[in-house]
Amino acid sequence: MGKREINLKLERGRFYGSTLRERELAGFGLTETVYPRHFKIPQHSHERPYFGLVLRGTYTEKYGNKTRICKPSMVVYHPPDEVHSQNFCQTEGRLFRLEVCPQWLEDLNKRGLFQNKSADFYDNIVCRLAMRLYYEFCELDEASPLVIEGLALEIMGEVSRPSTFASKRLPPRWLQQAKELIQARSFECLTLSQIALAVSVHPVYLAREFRRHYRCTVGEYIRRLRIETACRKMIQPEVSMAEIAVSCGFYDQSHFSRTFKRIMNTTPAAYRARLLSH
């Protein structure tokens, strides 16, 4: 696609980059696309709205008069006709996209349930659902259309919750500080009492408010942080699974594998093979 195609509106299933695979299932379009490093995508829009899960690489995206940095494990929602452009960084990029069936979007909009505006999600249930959907897409069987439809509707349902957007604004400052502390020390053996003491609240209050705002326990959040870090490390084929397990705070490779499969619904080996394929 040449430079003359500025502000081009792409039809259903069409994306810049090289398409690795694509399917239309249960009224949703599923596409996995790869981009070489330093790849630049000019301004364009899409006929259909879609969710994009960043599997590999980092890129800068301009949309309207705003800019965001998109990185692995992040999900970005693009409404129909939104004009945007992307510049990929020094590593190859790979994205999985879920195009939304217009009928579903129209139904949710009529009910006032869907905030049909550009949004991005990181480290929350939308990202985990998108990753599960991607693995279902990779390992299709006779039940996949039903599973994919269910996961896609779950994603839209979560995005329809006011709390999904509000949770980014509402947590008190002390809770944000607690979350930042956990992120910085996620590989350490932290206790609720230590975290609570650092932000001057009672451990019971911390546990209750953390779950209310972030919809998971502190322990679950730490596990997910470790797994997300492990996913990023797997892009480096020279690093062994055992090294990744220890560096991410797990007791051993076996503990890492069990936790990984429980959260990601696949094994570390299968995940790495998929990332490094093609």
Side-chain angles (χ1 to χ4, degrees), residues 101-129:
C101 174
Q103 289 82 355
W104 282 117
L105 192 65
E106 182 179 350
D107 181 63
L108 288 171
N109 282 336
K110 283 181 179 178
R111 298 168 186 266
L113 295 176
F114 195 77
Q115 300 193 44
N116 195 23
K117 60 183 179 181
S118 185
D120 51 79
F121 309 91
Y122 188 71
D123 184 38
N124 71 1
I125 191 169
V126 173
C127 305
R128 292 187 285 278
L129 288 169

Side-chain angles (χ1 to χ4, degrees), residues 134-199:
Y134 171 65
Y135 279 108
E136 188 65 36
F137 171 67
C138 292
E139 306 292 339
L140 294 173
D141 59 27
E142 64 278 1
S144 292
L146 181 60
V147 175
I148 285 171
E149 181 180 33
L151 288 170
L153 293 179
E154 269 196 83
I155 289 171
M156 295 182 69
E158 287 299 330
V159 174
S160 299
R161 292 177 185 269
S163 60
T164 302
F165 288 89
S167 62
K168 294 184 178 181
R169 303 187 301 269
L170 295 181
R173 180 59 190 152
W174 67 263
L175 188 55
Q176 295 177 35
Q177 290 172 338
K179 190 177 183 183
E180 290 167 4
L181 184 151
I182 294 167
Q183 291 171 340
R185 301 173 58 185
S186 61
F187 302 155
E188 300 178 24
C189 296
L190 291 171
T191 66
L192 271 176
S193 295
Q194 289 173 327
I195 300 168
L197 180 63
V199 295

Side-chain angles (χ1 to χ4, degrees), residues 8-154:
L8 173 69
K9 179 183 284 191
L10 301 183
E11 298 176 352
R12 181 183 70 181
R14 289 193 64 206
F15 297 97
Y16 284 89
S18 300
T19 298
L20 298 179
R21 68 184 111 186
E22 57 185 328
R23 289 292 183 97
E24 184 85 18
L25 292 172
F28 293 95
L30 310 170
T31 309
E32 184 177 0
T33 315
V34 66
Y35 302 87
R37 58 181 185 161
H38 303 303
F39 191 72
K40 296 182 184 298
I41 300 179
Q43 288 187 1
H44 65 285
S45 64
H46 294 266
E47 186 178 87
R48 272 192 176 188
Y50 72 89
F51 292 91
L53 169 64
V54 185
L55 298 170
R56 184 195 297 178
T58 300
Y59 62 93
T60 300
E61 180 171 84
K62 292 184 178 180
Y63 61 110
N65 59 356
K66 300 179 180 179
T67 301
R68 62 185 155 212
I69 304 297
C70 302
K71 53 187 177 179
S73 301
M74 185 173 175
V75 172
V76 180
Y77 174 70
H78 291 281
D81 303 321
E82 176 203 70
V83 177
H84 55 274
S85 62
Q86 293 109 345
N87 289 334
F88 285 82
C89 299
Q90 296 181 357
T91 56
E92 177 189 81
R94 188 179 297 194
L95 274 72
F96 170 64
R97 292 183 176 90
L98 168 69
E99 288 185 285
V100 179
C101 174
Q103 289 82 355
W104 282 117
L105 192 65
E106 182 179 350
D107 181 63
L108 288 171
N109 282 336
K110 283 181 179 178
R111 298 168 186 266
L113 295 176
F114 195 77
Q115 300 193 44
N116 195 23
K117 60 183 179 181
S118 185
D120 51 79
F121 309 91
Y122 188 71
D123 184 38
N124 71 1
I125 191 169
V126 173
C127 305
R128 292 187 285 278
L129 288 169
M131 189 61 74
R132 285 176 56 194
L133 199 156
Y134 171 65
Y135 279 108
E136 188 65 36
F137 171 67
C138 292
E139 306 292 339
L140 294 173
D141 59 27
E142 64 278 1
S144 292
L146 181 60
V147 175
I148 285 171
E149 181 180 33
L151 288 170
L153 293 179
E154 269 196 83

